[in-house]
Amino acid sequence: MKERVIKLLEKSINSCVEKGLLKEAYIPFIEVEFPREGSHGDYASNIAMVLASSQREAPRKIAERIVGNIDDGDGLLDKVEIAGPGFINFFIKNNVWAVLLKEVDRYGDRYGESNIGNGVKVQVEFVSANPTGPLHIGHARGAVIGDVIANILKTSGFSVSREYYINDAGNQMNMLGESVYYRYLELMGEDIVFPGNCYQGSYITELAHTIREQFGDRFRSDRETAIPFLTRYAADFILEGIKEDLETLGVVFDRYFSEKELYKDDGVSKILQDLQKDGFIYKEADAVWFKTTDFGDEKDRVVIRENGEPTYFAADIAYHLNKYSRGFDKVINVWGADHHGYIPRMQAAIQALGRKKEDLEIVLVQLVNLLRNGVPVPMSTRAGEFVTIREVTDEVGKDAARYNFLMRRSNSHLDFDLELAKAQSSENPVYYVQYAHARISSIMRLAAEQGYPAPGYDEIRPDLLTTAEECELIKLIDKFREMVEGSAKSLEPHRIPYYINDLASVFHSFYNKHKVISDNVELTKARLFLIKSTGTVIKNALRLLGVSAPERM
RNA sequence: GCGCCCAUGGCUCAGCUGGAUAGAGCGUCGGACUACGAAUCCGAAGGUCCUAGGUUCGAAUCCUAGUGGGCGUACCA
């Protein structure tokens, strides 16, 4: 409907120009919005005010000319008003709204899809936690946000791939192997002091147990071969656990990319050599530096240390080059907010590789405070005390966990209260939306029993849907695609929970005021179609969030 | 010190990239089940949008300077 209103404005402005009522000038993008206030109509445009300066005339005068030249051939408009400083307010006839529902009927499960992505290949990289320990609640938020961003982009016509980057090549890995080794020795009854910089979590001891059961004392005296083996064993084991945990959250990757792959065939140093030819690399004080300041970073960064070892950054440059050479037009990284200082150098790197700055987008996810009944749950990664993803999903369930992560803008801190998240009450927004869907399903079931199968658009009289509540509902349904597109463009998944919450609210109001199944056969069919459409949109939206749409609850 | 993020009713948060009288949920108070699911609905109270300037027809939103909180400032990952 919004597009139709925009077209009306466009045509009117063009004919004003032809008639000489407006100067031919640059006509900006015509903005039409949904006014909050009912008295401001169904749609409103500020176009007259925008044109005021270039036309050098009063906004209200311009508005009058535009309104006077609107050609409403389709008979959509009830009235058009000029208000305030020059807003043009459109009031749509009540009986034309339901036409919009035809789209829902036509597309069904695919209603909400668009092609703004135009097939552009985009990679979403997220989680990417070191396989040195189980995932905690902070990773879970990033996992869900990354997953849903991927869903939203896909439904908007992008070609999407989800990737997890495994940092399995640095000395964190050695530390992991050592940690297991020390615990292993402990189990053998050796009197050792467990180093403070090793991983303290109890899962390390459990791993040592497993290894002892499987291999006995084979590694006890041979530290040199033990550590590499234990490192790999532990990393593989932990990574498997991570994958399982992510699966309980409903997050599945297309690819796990190992950092080690980058070092094959001297990959990393070859890339550095290329960059040296381009003049971005120099040597100083026995280390090798990358001139990230050329692209706005505050200082240059080391890529090869004095001891000859490449830094994490060096590998990351190689990794991003690898991404682009695999054909991704655009790369999105979902990072914990504690990595924000890393953004400028990464953006510098891809520019040095000949990419545009916009080809890399970073979504920052703020950290999560885990609470129980409002009281912080103490967590210390170093001491190995934390609540894992598994424990959270086991306790509150996948749907509630995901919804809670998605409700807030990712760039703001999140309080995740375990008791609130699992409460099956009105305090929990997941149920509000799911309840609307279950209620719709229930009505559809009852109607079917009474001889009213779910109707299609062609079987109903849309002009019967004219009450305020019905029009509101249709208006919101019609807004769905635009909302998803906005969410895709801005990479803001939280818009979707807010939208369905609105939709559920309008539906509940409608339900409480009007009866769907009644003696009036035609009206019953029309309303059944309306709630069926509402259910479709809720279901489609929840699918994007990876949250189930139950038929009963 | 420098950089990034945040600051909106008692609490938790939206505010569609500059629009009209700033919105939800929770909590509080008062109402609605002999009708399709009361996990619902209807109503009320509650605001110097951190402060002070600036930009313009118009600012919670943009700019500057402060205040308060979080994070980052490695030849760690």
Side-chain angles (χ1 to χ4, degrees):
Chain A
M1 184 63 83
K2 192 165 147 180
E3 289 81 6
R4 298 184 187 198
V5 172
I6 292 173
K7 281 216 179 89
L8 289 177
L9 279 170
E10 264 171 11
K11 273 169 63 183
S12 168
I13 290 171
N14 286 338
S15 65
C16 282
V17 171
E18 278 170 29
K19 292 179 189 168
L21 293 170
L22 288 175
K23 287 177 209 158
E24 187 157 14
Y26 168 68
I27 305 293
F29 176 72
I30 298 175
E31 221 176 302
V32 169
E33 56 164 23
F34 304 90
R36 290 190 267 273
E37 195 74 20
S39 64
H40 294 149
D42 298 300
Y43 299 91
S45 180
N46 62 354
I47 187 68
M49 282 126 78
V50 175
L51 288 174
S53 66
S54 67
Q55 295 285 335
R56 317 193 82 211
E57 282 220 59
R60 289 193 69 112
K61 279 201 156 177
I62 298 173
E64 275 167 32
R65 290 178 195 161
I66 293 173
V67 170
N69 282 280
I70 286 176
D71 172 25
D72 180 23
D74 295 335
L76 301 176
L77 301 175
D78 189 20
K79 58 178 174 177
V80 182
E81 289 179 348
I82 298 167
F87 287 102
I88 303 176
N89 295 336
F90 294 86
F91 295 79
I92 308 295
K93 280 185 187 159
N94 276 354
N95 61 2
V96 303
W97 284 108
V99 176
L100 301 169
L101 293 177
K102 199 171 179 177
E103 296 294 298
V104 188
D105 197 37
R106 185 190 303 166
Y107 293 104
D109 287 349
R110 303 187 55 178
Y111 181 69
E113 289 184 7
S114 69
N115 194 31
I116 58 169
N118 203 18
V120 164
K121 278 189 75 177
V122 42
Q123 183 211 50
V124 185
E125 184 217 316
F126 55 110
V127 189
S128 299
N130 292 0
T132 55
L135 298 179
H136 60 258
I137 186 87
H139 295 122
R141 187 182 188 190
V144 172
I145 286 175
D147 186 44
V148 173
I149 285 177
N151 286 343
I152 292 169
L153 291 175
K154 180 139 194 286
T155 212
S156 302
F158 290 88
S159 164
V160 184
S161 180
R162 290 154 223 257
E163 190 154 309
Y164 184 124
Y165 178 55
I166 314 165
N167 296 136
D168 52 4
N171 57 36
Q172 301 290 318
M173 283 293 114
N174 285 328
M175 202 64 84
L176 174 67
E178 274 186 40
S179 306
V180 176
Y181 185 63
Y182 284 120
R183 289 299 186 207
Y184 172 76
L185 292 184
E186 250 176 17
L187 292 176
M188 310 304 277
E190 291 199 15
D191 189 22
I192 59 120
V193 183
F194 194 75
N197 57 357
C198 277
Y199 292 99
Q200 310 285 320
S202 58
Y203 61 93
I204 298 287
T205 314
E206 284 162 30
L207 255 167
H209 249 292
T210 315
I211 286 163
R212 188 189 170 189
E213 273 168 26
Q214 214 174 329
F215 301 99
D217 63 354
R218 188 192 306 177
F219 302 113
R220 189 168 183 174
S221 52
D222 187 5
R223 187 191 158 97
E224 291 310 305
T225 58
I227 301 241
F229 176 82
L230 293 177
T231 301
R232 231 188 60 208
Y233 186 95
D236 288 348
F237 187 87
I238 291 170
L239 189 61
E240 278 316 302
I242 287 174
K243 287 182 187 174
E244 284 170 26
D245 286 5
L246 287 170
E247 234 179 290
T248 66
L249 250 192
V251 177
V252 178
F253 286 88
D254 296 302
R255 179 158 184 190
Y256 284 81
F257 189 99
S258 166
E259 184 184 353
K260 286 188 224 157
E261 236 174 89
L262 299 169
Y263 290 101
K264 281 182 192 160
D265 310 318
D266 273 338
V268 175
S269 38
K270 274 182 190 159
I271 288 158
L272 294 181
Q273 279 163 26
D274 287 346
L275 285 168
Q276 188 158 23
K277 280 178 212 152
D278 297 335
F280 296 118
I281 297 280
Y282 64 95
K283 210 164 178 177
E284 191 181 292
D286 291 326
V288 178
W289 299 72
F290 189 154
K291 281 172 81 171
T292 51
T293 48
D294 280 4
F295 302 94
D297 197 6
E298 57 184 11
K299 56 177 280 197
D300 290 342
R301 309 290 173 176
V302 171
V303 282
I304 307 279
R305 298 195 278 255
E306 271 179 14
N307 65 8
E309 294 279 317
T311 60
Y312 173 83
F313 180 46
D316 228 359
I317 296 167
Y319 179 40
H320 282 77
L321 179 62
N322 177 289
K323 291 183 183 193
Y324 293 118
S325 62
R326 272 188 276 155
F328 292 113
D329 305 304
K330 185 171 186 149
V331 162
I332 295 169
N333 294 347
V334 179
W335 284 353
D338 51 335
H339 288 77
H340 72 259
Y342 203 77
I343 296 174
R345 85 188 68 167
M346 208 58 241
Q347 240 141 18
I350 65 141
Q351 288 174 85
L353 295 170
R355 280 286 171 163
K356 282 179 298 185
K357 204 174 166 187
E358 308 84 68
D359 292 346
L360 173 67
E361 256 186 279
I362 314 277
V363 175
L364 288 180
V365 178
Q366 292 289 344
L367 305 181
V368 181
N369 295 316
L370 192 65
L371 308 173
R372 186 179 291 283
N373 287 321
V375 184
V377 177
M379 282 198 285
S380 157
T381 316
R382 242 196 59 208
E385 290 170 22
F386 43 77
V387 179
T388 63
I389 285 196
R390 177 63 68 88
E391 292 167 287
V392 172
T393 39
D394 283 353
E395 186 170 342
V396 309
K398 184 184 92 168
D399 286 349
R402 289 183 69 111
Y403 205 88
N404 273 277
F405 287 130
L406 292 165
M407 277 188 324
R408 304 231 157 358
R409 213 165 81 246
S410 55
N411 202 355
S412 68
H413 292 266
L414 171 67
D415 288 334
F416 189 98
D417 194 303
L418 288 164
E419 295 303 323
L420 229 62
K422 73 176 172 187
Q424 300 206 1
S425 70
S426 56
E427 291 172 70
N428 200 333
V430 201
Y431 296 108
Y432 185 76
V433 174
Q434 289 185 321
Y435 182 69
H437 187 265
R439 197 177 227 182
I440 289 167
S441 303
S442 170
I443 301 169
M444 300 303 292
R445 279 195 300 270
L446 187 74
E449 283 168 24
Q450 297 185 7
Y452 289 107
Y457 181 81
D458 296 336
E459 304 165 57
I460 65 155
R461 280 187 50 197
D463 58 304
L464 295 177
L465 299 171
T466 57
T467 67
E469 290 76 16
E470 288 159 339
C471 293
E472 273 307 302
L473 204 43
I474 298 166
K475 210 195 288 187
L476 256 182
I477 289 172
D478 179 52
K479 202 177 162 184
F480 182 55
R481 180 178 8 220
E482 183 192 343
M483 186 278 305
V484 176
E485 286 177 10
S487 182
K489 285 179 193 158
S490 61
L491 305 178
E492 289 179 346
H494 75 276
R495 294 188 188 191
I496 291 171
Y498 275 92
Y499 169 82
I500 6 178
N501 204 275
D502 268 4
L503 184 63
S505 166
V506 173
F507 165 73
H508 284 311
S509 297
F510 159 77
Y511 171 88
N512 274 278
K513 192 152 180 189
H514 304 286
K515 218 157 132 55
V516 175
I517 303 171
S518 68
D519 296 337
N520 185 334
V521 176
E522 286 305 318
L523 187 61
T524 298
K525 279 162 69 178
R527 286 184 171 162
L528 277 174
F529 182 74
L530 174 61
I531 67 165
K532 186 180 95 171
S533 304
T534 307
T536 300
V537 174
I538 292 177
K539 197 166 155 191
N540 291 357
L542 286 175
R543 195 186 315 114
L544 286 175
L545 303 182
V547 172
S548 69
E551 313 228 317
R552 292 187 163 84
M553 52 194 288

